[in-house]
Amino acid sequence: MMHHKDSYKEPSFSLGNRILRVCWTIAYLLLFRFSPRPLHGYRAFILRCFGAKVGKGAHVYPGVRIWAPWNLVLGPECGIASDVDLYAQDKIVIGYRAVISQGTYLCTGTHDYTHPGHPLYTRPIMIGDRAWVAAGCFIHPGVTIGEGAVIGARSVVTKDMPDWMVCAGHPCKPIKERIINDL
C-alpha cells in the first residue's frame, strides 16, 4: 500500500496515527520497556490497550521495540525476544508457538527509490505457526515465513519461505526439510 506520493512534502501517516504513536511511545517508556522480564501477561495487557491482538501465553520481552502495536497479531504461546524490532507500519502476524529471536528486525515499510517523491510503501509480514526466526535476521516487507520453517541466524529474507524447511543465507534460501524428532 502506498501512503503518499512525496515523502519530502507530506507526512506518511495521518495526524491521528502520529498522535497515537506519541501516546504509545510514552506508555512504552513508562510501563513496558522497564517492566520485569517475567511479567509477560502485564506487557500483553498493555499491548492490548493499544489495539494489539495477543494470544494466551504469548511471551513478549520488555526489550522488544514496537512501532505500532495496533498492527500486531500475536498467536498463543509465541515468543518475541528482547532486542527484536517490530517495525509494524503494516500488519505483522506471528503464529502459534512461533519464536522470534534476539536482534531480529521485521520491517513492513520501504520506499520507492525510483520515484522522485520517494513514497512509502507498506506490506504485511506473516510468520507461520511453530516457525523459528533465529538471531539477527532481517525480514523484508511482504514476506511470509511458512509454518514450521526455521530461518537461520543472520539471514536476510526477501521472499516467502516454505513450510517445514530450514532456510538460511543472504538472500535466504531453503536448505533442507525440518524434521521434528519426538523424544
Side-chain angles (χ1 to χ4, degrees):
M1 172 192 314
M2 184 171 76
H3 290 272
H4 58 73
K5 292 185 180 183
D6 195 336
S7 292
Y8 302 100
K9 293 183 179 177
E10 55 190 287
S12 297
F13 293 93
S14 69
L15 178 61
N17 180 285
R18 289 179 283 152
I19 290 169
L20 192 53
R21 280 189 284 123
V22 168
C23 295
W24 163 244
T25 299
I26 292 166
Y28 174 81
L29 291 172
L30 295 177
L31 304 172
F32 188 98
R33 175 70 177 102
F34 299 105
S35 61
R37 286 179 61 88
L39 297 184
H40 301 296
Y42 167 76
R43 284 185 295 281
F45 171 76
I46 293 169
L47 290 172
R48 285 185 193 107
C49 288
F50 281 88
K53 293 175 178 67
V54 183
K56 184 177 180 181
H59 288 143
V60 180
Y61 284 84
V64 175
R65 290 175 295 279
I66 302 165
W67 194 82
W70 48 91
N71 284 332
L72 293 180
V73 178
L74 306 177
E77 300 179 26
C78 74
I80 305 173
S82 284
D83 201 29
V84 166
D85 275 286
L86 300 176
Y87 196 45
Q89 292 180 311
D90 206 319
K91 284 279 185 220
I92 294 177
V93 178
I94 299 173
Y96 166 74
R97 286 200 174 175
V99 175
I100 312 298
S101 294
Q102 66 277 7
T104 292
Y105 198 105
L106 280 71
C107 182
T108 61
T110 189
H111 292 270
D112 181 354
Y113 61 86
T114 66
H115 188 280
H118 205 223
L120 172 69
Y121 284 87
T122 64
R123 294 182 61 209
I125 292 173
M126 312 293 227
I127 309 294
D129 294 346
R130 294 183 174 89
W132 174 27
V133 180
C137 293
F138 185 91
I139 312 298
H140 277 248
V143 165
T144 296
I145 306 293
E147 179 180 349
V150 174
I151 307 301
R154 297 288 186 201
S155 293
V156 175
V157 185
T158 60
K159 297 179 182 171
D160 295 352
M161 293 294 121
D163 295 348
W164 297 101
M165 292 292 290
V166 176
C167 311
H170 183 295
C172 190
K173 296 177 184 169
I175 297 172
K176 65 181 182 178
E177 186 179 353
R178 178 185 182 190
I179 299 170
I180 302 293
N181 296 316
D182 292 325
L183 298 176

